[in-house]
C-alpha cells in the first residue's frame, strides 16, 4: 500500500507527497529558513526534532546538509518520513507547518560552480542540422564525450526571478561589422539540473559520481542565440548564456527519484570504460514547457521526458573529474537541452520554430519565433509513481525589456 | 626622491619595496593570516594599528578587504606606506614583521569564479595559424570582442602547488576513436590575472570596470593541448583547462601599478563604444618563463611584456557584464596567453615548439616540445620604476606524473 501522510493535502494528486520531501528555502515574516515541501505546506525543518546537529540548519541553504554526506541524507529523509507519516508525531510537528501560499521561495542552495552539458541527442542533432547541415549535425566527439562548458554560477536564480533581455554584440550573416543591440533571438532551454552534494579530488567512477549527487531541479538555461552565433567560436558560449539560469525552488532528492530510474539509450558508439554505467542512471520524468504572453493564458509549447538524454548526470560528473578537476559541494550540472524526437517535444524555441523559419502558433493565436518581452516561461516536471506523483514545482521566469543603453555605450 | 622604507631589505633591488606592498596570506607556526610583503619580511597586517575594522582581517583571505571597497583600499595602502616608511612607527611595527623565509604562502583570496580570456594577439595568431592556417588565423570576432570562456574556480591553486599530469580522451588525426590516456601535450600559458574587488549588477563601463579591479597576479593556465583538440568543438575548452591554474602568491594592487600604465595598441578595427578606453589600461610588466627539468638548473624559455595584450582587463570586465552577468568580489580574470612578436617571446610551449615540430633546446642541452614529468615551471614578472622594482613573486609549479589508472577506468 502506498505510504500516506497524516497531512491530507499531501495525499491525492499533490506534487509534494510523503514520497517526495524536496528541500527548499522559504521566507515569511519570521525570516528565511530551510524547508521541506509537504502537500500545501512547508515544514520548518530546523524547528522539529530532526535528530541531527542544529548547525546543519543554521543557514538558509542546504549546503551544510549536503556537505554532511550520504549517511546524514539518508537519516534525515528517514526521520522526515516518520515525522510526517506517523500520527504519533502530528501534535509536535503540525505547529511547524507553514502554508506555502504565504511564503516566498528562495535559492535552495549556494551554487559553487555551474557547468552546462549538451547531453540531449535530439537537441544536438537539431541544432547541428540548422548550423552545419544534416551531414555534420553531431560534432565528431559527441558520441564519445558528454561535452559541456563551464557556465556562470552568478547567473543562477530561483524560479520567479525576472529575466532582463540582454544586450550584446550581434552580427547578421550579411553585416560586415557587429552592432551592440538587445538580443532578438532570446530563447529558453529545458534542462534538468543535478546538484553535487559531495566534493571530489581526483578521478571518480560513474558509480561513485551517482552517489555524490544530492538531488535534481528543473533548469532553464536562457540563451541569446544571436549573441552566441557571433561570440562562440572558438571558445564556446559566454555572454549568450550569462544573463540568467533559472532553477526550480525545490531540490528533489536522488532518493525520491530512485523508483524512476531508467537506462540511457543503446550506445551508438561504445563508450570508454570510465564512462560506462553500472546500472540505470536516467530518470523517467515527464517535462513540459509553457509560454504565457503578458496578460494572456499560457500555451504548453513542448512536452518531453528526461529519459530522452543520452548521457546521465553521473556520467557527466565522472567525465568532469577526469582531468583532476576538483568538484565541490553545491556544484550544479545542467543536463543540456532535452528534446524528444517529434516536433512538439523540443526543448527550445530555436528548435520549435526551426531557427525562426517556422514560427509557433500559441493557443491565443499569437506566434513566436523567439521570446517576446513580457512572456512568462514555465518549466514543469513530474515523475508518476504508483499512487503518487513527484513534482518539482514550477521553474518560471518572465522576460523584461532590455535596459536603456547608458550614454557611454552609445555608438 | 624615491620613497624608502626603514626596513633596509625593502630598498635596493627588492621585489617588495615600499612602493609595492602586495597582499598575500601566509602560514607559520602561529597559523594562517593576512600579510603584506615588504623586503624579505611579511607584515602581519592584522596585528598592527591599521586604522580599519578588525573584521576585515579576521579571515586568512583578502576578500573582506576587497568587499569593503576602493576608499578602504586607498586608506589601507596609505596607512601601510606611513607605517613602513616613517621611523616613528618602527618600534611598534617591527615586532610584527615575520621573515618570509620561514613561512608558507597560501591562496591570497577565495576565487569566486574564474574567467579566462584570449587577449594576446600574437598568441591568437600563432595558434590560429597552426590550427586553421595563416589565412584564417584570427577568428572573425577577435578584433571586435575580448573573447573568453568560463574556467573552473576550483582549479586555481597558489604557486608551489604540484600539478599532476591529467588523463583525458585523446584522438590523433589518424585515429578513428579516442583513447583514454595521460596528456602528452601538456603545456603552460603565461598570463596576467586580474582580481575583481567589487561586485556589479548590470552593464559596467570600461572606466568603472577599471576601478573595480583590486589587483593583479601572474597566472599559469596549464593546458592539455591534446585533450583540448578533441573536446573543444563546439563548446570550447573544458577538461583541457581544469587540471590546475597556478597564480603567484602576492596580489599586486592596481595602485602599485599606476605608474606603469600604457595604452593598448592601435585598434585594427574600431571598437564599439562600450569597449573604448578612457585612458591607458595595460601595464608595462616584464615577464619571463623559466623551465627546470627535475634536478637540473632552469632555462629562461621566453621573455615578453604584459603590454603586448590587445585588450585590457578593464575591457574584458566591461564586456563580461554586457549580458547582465553579475560579477562578484573575488572573480579572477585571466588575460589570455601573452606572447611577443619574436620567437623567444612566446608564452606557451605550443608556440615555442610550433606544435612540437621545432623542439626547444634548453641550456642543459635537453629538448622540450611539451612539458615532461618533473619539470618545474616558473613565471616571473617585474615592473621597473624610478629607483625601485615591483615584483610579483614566483608563480611556480612542478609537473608530477599522471596517476595510475583505477581498475574501473581500464578499457
Amino acid at each position: 500500500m502506498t505510504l500516506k501522510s497524516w497531512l491530507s493535502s499531501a495525499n491525492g494528486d499533490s506534487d509534494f507527497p510523503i514520497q517526495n520531501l524536496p528541500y527548499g528555502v522559504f521566507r515569511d515574516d519570521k525570516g528565511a529558513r530551510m524547508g521541506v515541501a509537504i502537500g500545501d505546506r512547508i515544514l520548518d525543518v530546523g524547528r522539529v526534532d530532526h535528530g541531527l546537529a542544529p548547525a546543519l540548519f543554521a543557514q538558509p541553504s542546504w549546503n551544510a546538509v549536503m556537505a554532511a554526506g550520504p549517511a546524514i541524507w539518508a537519516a534525515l529523509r528517514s526521520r522526515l518520513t516518520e515525522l510526517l507519516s506517523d500520527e504519533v508525531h502530528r501534535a509536535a510537528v503540525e505547529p511547524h507547518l507553514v502554508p506555502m501560499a504565504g511564503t516566498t521561495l528562495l535559492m535552495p542552495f549556494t551554487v559553487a560552480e555551474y557547468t552546462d552539458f549538451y547531453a540531449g541527442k535530439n537537441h544536438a542533432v537539431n541544432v547541428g542540422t540548422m548550423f552545419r547541415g544534416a551531414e555534420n549535425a553531431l560534432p565528431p566527439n559527441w558520441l564519445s564525450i558528454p561535452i559541456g562548458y563551464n557556465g556562470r554560477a552568478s547567473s543562477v536564480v530561483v524560479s520567479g526571478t525576472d529575466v532582463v533581455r540582454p544586450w550584446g554584440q550581434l552580427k547578421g550573416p550579411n553585416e560586415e561589422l557587429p552592432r551592440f543591440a538587445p538580443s532578438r533571438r532570446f530563447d529558453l532551454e529545458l534542462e534538468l539540473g543535478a546538484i553535487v552534494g559531495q566534493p571530489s579530488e581526483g578521478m571518480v567512477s560513474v558509480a561513485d559520481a551517482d552517489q555524490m549527487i544530492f538531488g535534481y531541479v528543473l533548469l532553464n538555461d536562457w540563451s541569446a542565440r544571436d549573441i552566441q552565433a557571433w561570440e562562440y567560436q572558438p571558445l564556446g558560449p559566454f555572454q549568450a548564456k550569462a544573463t540568467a539560469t533559472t532553477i526550480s525552488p525545490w531540490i528533489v532528492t536522488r532518493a525520491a527519484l530512485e523508483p524512476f530510474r531508467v537506462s540511457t539509450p543503446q550506445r551508438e558508439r561504445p563508450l570508454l570504460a570510465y564512462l560506462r554505467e553500472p546500472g540505470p542512471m536516467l530518470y523517467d520524468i515527464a517535462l513540459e514547457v509553457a509560454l504565457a504572453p503578458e496578460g494572456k493564458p499560457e500555451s504548453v509549447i513542448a512536452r518531453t521526458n528526461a529519459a530522452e538524454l543520452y548521457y546521465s548526470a553521473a556520467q557527466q560528473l565522472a567525465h568532469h573529474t577526469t582531468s583532476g578537476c576538483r568538484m565541490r559541494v553545491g556544484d550544479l550540472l545542467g543536463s543540456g537541452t532535452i528534446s524528444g524526437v517529434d516536433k512538439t517535444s523540443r526543448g527550445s524555441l530555436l528548435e520549435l520554430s526551426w531557427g525562426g523559419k517556422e514560427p509557433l502558433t500559441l493557443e491565443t493565436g499569437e506566434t513566436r519565433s523567439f521570446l517576446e518581452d513580457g512572456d512568462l516561461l514555465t518549466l514543469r516536471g513530474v515523475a508518476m509513481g504508483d499512487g503518487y506523483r513527484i513534482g518539482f514545482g514550477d521553474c518560471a521566469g518572465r522576460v523584461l525589456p532590455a535596459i536603456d543603453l547608458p550614454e557611454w555605450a552609445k555608438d
Side-chain angles (χ1 to χ4, degrees), chain A residues 101-370:
Chain A
T103 66
T104 303
L105 297 177
L106 307 178
M107 275 292 293
F109 69 108
T110 300
V111 181
E113 301 198 54
Y114 165 49
T115 309
D116 196 28
F117 287 89
Y118 193 54
K121 184 164 171 248
N122 298 314
H123 171 73
V125 167
N126 286 338
V127 172
T129 302
M130 275 183 263
F131 291 173
R132 291 178 295 270
E135 296 293 301
N136 301 302
L138 271 191
N141 53 22
W142 201 93
L143 292 170
S144 296
I145 307 182
I147 56 173
Y149 65 95
N150 297 297
R152 181 82 196 171
S154 69
S155 77
V156 183
V157 295
V158 74
S159 178
T161 307
D162 291 332
V163 176
V164 180
R165 180 181 298 276
W167 285 80
Q169 286 200 22
L170 315 181
K171 195 186 85 65
N174 301 318
E175 291 172 319
E176 200 191 335
L177 290 174
R179 296 165 292 119
F180 194 59
S183 171
R184 294 179 62 175
R185 294 162 70 92
F186 195 50
D187 200 358
L188 73 125
E189 289 195 335
L190 168 63
E191 305 194 19
L192 201 63
I195 300 161
V196 178
Q198 285 282 280
S200 74
E201 295 244 358
M203 220 183 283
V204 170
S205 69
V206 175
D208 288 345
D210 183 59
Q211 297 298 308
M212 284 167 63
I213 295 171
F214 183 64
Y216 291 85
V217 289
L218 304 177
L219 186 151
N220 182 354
D221 174 31
W222 303 89
S223 299
R225 305 294 177 194
D226 37 10
I227 295 174
Q228 188 173 347
W230 170 233
E231 78 174 357
Y232 91 111
Q233 285 290 4
L235 299 182
F238 183 52
Q239 289 303 285
K241 303 280 197 171
T243 301
T245 306
T246 303
I247 62 169
S248 51
W250 297 107
I251 303 172
V252 175
T253 61
R254 181 164 50 78
L257 291 171
E258 281 302 323
F260 307 98
R261 282 187 183 258
V262 290
S263 296
T264 43
Q266 184 71 30
R267 302 291 100 181
E268 297 177 35
R269 184 190 294 168
L271 290 178
L272 288 163
Y274 82 90
L275 281 173
R276 284 181 213 136
E277 292 169 302
M281 295 208 173
L282 289 181
Y283 298 97
D284 177 4
I285 303 167
L287 301 168
E288 69 174 35
V289 181
L291 191 162
E294 193 159 16
K296 302 270 176 70
E298 71 172 35
S299 303
V300 173
I301 59 173
R303 286 192 176 86
T304 184
N305 194 296
E308 293 283 355
L309 290 163
Y310 190 84
Y311 294 106
S312 64
Q315 288 174 310
Q316 293 168 332
L317 178 51
H319 178 71
H320 214 321
T321 68
T322 47
S323 65
C325 181
R326 287 180 190 83
M327 302 305 293
R328 304 195 288 187
V329 173
D331 283 343
L332 174 64
L333 311 183
S335 62
T337 307
I338 306 170
S339 293
V341 173
D342 61 63
K343 200 174 164 174
T344 61
S345 66
R346 295 172 180 169
S348 68
L349 280 167
L350 177 70
E351 295 164 273
L352 288 163
S353 75
W354 207 251
K357 287 182 188 153
E358 303 168 18
L360 204 67
T361 302
L362 305 178
E363 286 168 32
T364 53
E366 283 152 291
T367 60
R368 283 292 181 279
S369 291
F370 292 96

Side-chain angles (χ1 to χ4, degrees), chain A residues 164-165 167 180 182 401-410:
Chain A
V164 180
R165 180 181 298 276
W167 285 80
F180 194 59
I403 61 165
D404 291 334
L405 197 61
E407 281 302 319
W408 50 260
K410 289 184 181 163

